[in-house]
């Protein structure tokens, strides 16, 4: 069934039909289409455009279609152009003449805009929930590792000592911002386009505020042309999801490095690893690599939709049909990656001794050694040079600053005393840093408490 055949004298070419049709993917929002139609006819009855009997029989028919789709007795078939045609054709077949009144006062343009908003709104909630699950795991790891010392890096070079809690806390902040972006998008998009018609509204006395309230929107959209041609919320969502993927990809890159034989900071659980068909010793971090790889897929959806929209005049154009496959795939990709990534880090094993040893032998306490001299009256620039000489000596001997004998320290500067070893221990280096946001245990305790409150309230 086509919703537009009256003006045509020839059947659509089969290739044209297939090229034009969207039912292969827009069937994904069959539920939203039916719920939107129920709200629409409820409003039509309130306004006296439909009788209460007509409304009741239409709603009952729509409920039957929804139930039959969900229990598998009504397959969605490809002879229909889109999900709207499928639902309306089945409704007319079931209830007869009243079904032909379903489309009164609306167009497929505002109908598909509604369906996409309803679907996107539900998916924003789902992605947000998955982000919270991930953050709960990160929070647990942070709480358990406030004294797990490890090197912090700049330029992929060991820089200063931090803790595993502090390092994971950086990602907690990233994902917190991601959730904030999703809330912003939800609030900004939560206005109902139904009633905008094809582009210029309708002559029927619709109550758009009532329809919006039935569908839990904050109100109706305020310009009918924008209502049917707006895809900003999808671009924003694809951008936010690209950022989520970028954050996960950065995290995955680090886990891949940490899981390597050279680092051995972590061991990915067998259930989230794969092997090699030829090399029996291999245990590959494939999940982390795939998450990293699929980031480009989500980026591609964002760039594709931006490119599609950049030259479109008002109002609706068929080009906009391209939004669906891109968005559906990106949402499914992000949800799948979040679920797998959460499971992977939840089951990882950490090796605190190796992490701490890496921090010591990476001379991450060199800055603290320089500060020791400064606190004993040595100008910082001189202290910097002295510690540089000591690091070079340690490299030649293959030892850490902690292992260098005191006499070697004193050969370069007589200022050093036995307390240098306490001053440059990993514990001291970290514990001295207690300004808010730093890795010290007291500072981290405040952050962890704040994170726990955030998770409880969100």
């Amino acid at each position: 069934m086509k919703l537009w055949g009256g003006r045509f004298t020839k059947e659509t070419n089969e290739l044209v039909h297939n090229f034009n049709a969207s039912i292969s993917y827009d069937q994904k929002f069959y539920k939203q289409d039916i719920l939107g139609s129920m709200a629409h006819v409820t409003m039509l009855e309130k306004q006296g455009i439909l009788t209460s009997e007509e409304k009741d029989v239409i709603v009952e028919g729509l409920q039957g279609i929804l139930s039959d789709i969900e229990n598998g007795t009504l397959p969605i078939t490809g002879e229909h152009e889109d999900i709207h045609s499928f639902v309306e054709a089945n409704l007319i077949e079931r209830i007869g003449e009243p079904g032909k009144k379903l489309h009164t006062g609306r167009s497929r343009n505002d109908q598909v805009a509604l369906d996409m908003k309803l679907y996107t709104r539900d998916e924003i909630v789902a992605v947000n929930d998955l982000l919270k699950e991930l953050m709960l795991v990160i929070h647990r790891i942070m709480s358990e590792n406030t004294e797990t010392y490890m090197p912090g890096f700049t330029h992929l070079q060991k820089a200063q000592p931090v803790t595993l809690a502090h390092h994971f806390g950086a990602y907690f902040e990233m994902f917190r911002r991601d959730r904030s972006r999703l809330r912003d998008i939800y609030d900004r998009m939560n206005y109902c386009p139904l009633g905008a018609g094809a582009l210029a509204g309708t002559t029927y006395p619709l109550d758009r505020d009532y329809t919006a309230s039935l569908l839990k929107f904050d109100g109706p959209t305020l310009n009918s042309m924008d209502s049917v041609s707006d895809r900003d919320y999808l671009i924003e969502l694809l951008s936010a999801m690209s950022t989520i993927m970028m954050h996960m990809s950065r995290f995955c890159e680090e886990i891949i490095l940490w899981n390597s034989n050279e680092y051995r900071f972590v061991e990915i659980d067998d259930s989230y690893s794969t092997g090699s068909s030829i090399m029996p010793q291999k245990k590959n971090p494939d999940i982390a690599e795939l998450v990293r790889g699929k980031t480009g897929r989500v980026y591609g959806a964002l760039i594709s939709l931006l490119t599609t929209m950049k030259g479109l005049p008002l109002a609706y154009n068929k080009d906009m049909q391209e939004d669906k496959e891109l968005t559906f795939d990106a949402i499914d990709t992000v949800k799948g990656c979040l679920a797998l990534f959460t499971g992977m880090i939840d089951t990882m094993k950490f090796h605190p001794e190796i992490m701490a040893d890496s921090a010591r032998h990476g001379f991450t306490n060199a800055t603290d050694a320089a500060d020791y001299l400064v606190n004993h009256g040595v100008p910082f620039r001189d202290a910097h040079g002295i510690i540089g000489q000591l690091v070079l000596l340690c490299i030649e001997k293959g030892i850490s600053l902690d292992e260098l004998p005191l006499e070697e320290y004193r050969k370069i500067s007589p200022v050093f005393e036995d307390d240098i070893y306490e001053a440059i221990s990993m514990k001291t280096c970290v514990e001295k840093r207690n300004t808010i946001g730093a890795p010290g245990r007291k500072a981290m305790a405040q952050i962890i408490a704040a994170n726990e409150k955030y998770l409880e309230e969100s």
Side-chain angles (χ1 to χ4, degrees), residues 50 117 275 313 426:
L50 294 181
K117 275 199 170 184
M426 292 297 109

Side-chain angles (χ1 to χ4, degrees), residues 238 241-242 245 294-303 330 333-334:
L238 289 170
M241 291 194 300
S242 293
M245 290 299 295
K294 286 179 182 292
T295 299
R297 185 170 180 155
V298 179
Y299 288 4
L302 171 61
I303 298 303
T333 299
V334 170

Side-chain angles (χ1 to χ4, degrees), residues 3 40-41 44 84 88 98-111 204:
L3 302 181
H40 181 64
V41 297
L44 292 178
H84 326 299
E88 188 169 332
K100 296 178 181 179
K101 298 186 177 183
L102 171 64
H103 208 54
T104 306
R106 72 178 183 184
S107 162
R108 276 192 303 177
N109 293 356
D110 60 341
Q111 187 179 358
Y204 293 97

Side-chain angles (χ1 to χ4, degrees), residues 106-121:
R106 72 178 183 184
S107 162
R108 276 192 303 177
N109 293 356
D110 60 341
Q111 187 179 358
V112 73
L114 172 70
D115 290 358
M116 197 64 182
K117 275 199 170 184
L118 290 172
Y119 179 85
T120 302
R121 197 173 65 176

Side-chain angles (χ1 to χ4, degrees), residues 360-375:
R360 282 191 295 271
H361 285 87
F363 306 106
T364 60
N365 49 2
T367 302
D368 295 85
D371 289 343
Y372 172 91
L373 290 174
V374 171
N375 291 331

Side-chain angles (χ1 to χ4, degrees), residues 130-146 163-179 244 247-248 250-252 254-255 258 338 341-348 350 444 447-449 451-452 454-455:
L130 286 166
L131 278 169
K132 183 175 181 179
E133 290 299 315
L134 171 56
M135 293 174 75
L136 284 165
V137 172
I138 293 173
H139 177 68
R140 175 187 63 77
I141 292 170
M142 290 174 65
S143 301
E144 294 170 355
N145 289 281
T146 57
T163 64
L164 185 63
H166 191 238
H167 197 111
F168 268 56
Y171 287 102
F172 191 99
E173 294 303 313
M174 295 181 207
F175 294 125
R176 187 206 303 263
R177 292 193 296 270
D178 289 329
R179 294 186 75 200
I244 292 169
H247 290 155
M248 276 196 289
R250 293 181 71 182
F251 211 161
C252 284
E254 295 194 309
I255 289 168
W258 294 354
L338 279 169
F341 183 80
T342 300
M344 180 181 69
I345 68 167
D346 193 29
T347 54
M348 282 193 316
F350 300 96
M444 284 305 304
I447 298 301
I448 288 170
N451 290 349
E452 186 157 353
Y454 163 79
L455 290 168

Side-chain angles (χ1 to χ4, degrees), residues 274-284 286:
T274 63
S276 165
S277 63
I278 188 172
M279 296 168 283
Q281 83 281 10
K282 294 292 292 297
K283 182 177 176 181
N284 299 326
D286 280 10

Side-chain angles (χ1 to χ4, degrees), residues 389-432:
Q389 294 178 60
L390 288 169
V391 168
L392 185 60
L393 179 63
C394 287
I395 291 171
E396 290 172 354
K397 293 178 175 291
I399 59 176
S400 67
L401 286 170
D402 310 63
E403 298 165 322
L404 187 69
L406 183 60
E407 57 265 27
E408 297 289 352
Y409 275 97
R410 294 181 65 84
K411 283 180 185 178
I412 296 178
S413 174
V415 172
F416 288 110
E417 301 291 347
D418 283 336
D419 60 350
I420 180 61
Y421 297 106
E422 173 63 24
I424 63 171
S425 74
M426 292 297 109
K427 182 178 179 65
T428 301
C429 291
V430 171
E431 291 302 325
K432 285 190 302 186

